[in-house]
Amino acid sequence: HGTVFKALNRLNGREAAIKQMKIDPKNLPEIKREIITIAELSGPFCVEYFASYFKDGDLWLAMELFDAGSVGDLLERKKRMTEEQI
């Protein structure tokens, strides 16, 4: 849950995805799980986690940009996917 937008890392020139999320006590455990999960994933087919920080009262997650959208977005556009696409 949250808003996702592109940003440019000025240090290395790479584009990143920034996920901006509102924080409240109800969703804090879910957000913690998400951060731990993406931080622990690694490999050529996993989105790379860069950092998380607070800005303007929201939590911002910085991760590798996957410009095709989320998996949910892909499934909405393309009801069936081949094994190779998955």
Side-chain angles (χ1 to χ4, degrees):
H1 310 296
T3 303
V4 179
F5 55 93
K6 290 182 190 181
L8 184 64
N9 183 329
R10 288 180 253 165
L11 298 175
N12 62 19
R14 290 176 60 189
E15 285 189 319
I18 305 294
K19 183 174 183 180
Q20 181 181 359
M21 297 181 287
K22 298 285 182 206
I23 300 296
D24 72 39
K26 294 177 189 172
N27 68 3
L28 196 54
E30 179 183 339
I31 291 170
K32 284 181 181 179
R33 279 193 306 274
E34 181 176 353
I35 292 170
I36 289 167
T37 300
I38 63 172
E40 290 178 345
L41 292 175
S42 66
F45 303 110
C46 297
V47 174
E48 183 181 356
Y49 167 78
F50 298 138
S52 55
Y53 53 95
F54 284 97
K55 180 178 179 181
D56 301 328
D58 294 338
L59 177 64
W60 292 41
L61 298 177
M63 60 194 89
E64 180 179 18
L65 177 66
F66 179 61
D67 217 11
S70 70
V71 173
D73 294 339
L74 291 174
L75 291 174
E76 283 181 22
R77 288 192 304 259
K78 193 171 179 117
K79 298 297 181 194
R80 296 185 71 152
M81 297 175 74
T82 66
E83 185 175 344
E84 183 177 292
Q85 291 170 321
I86 294 169

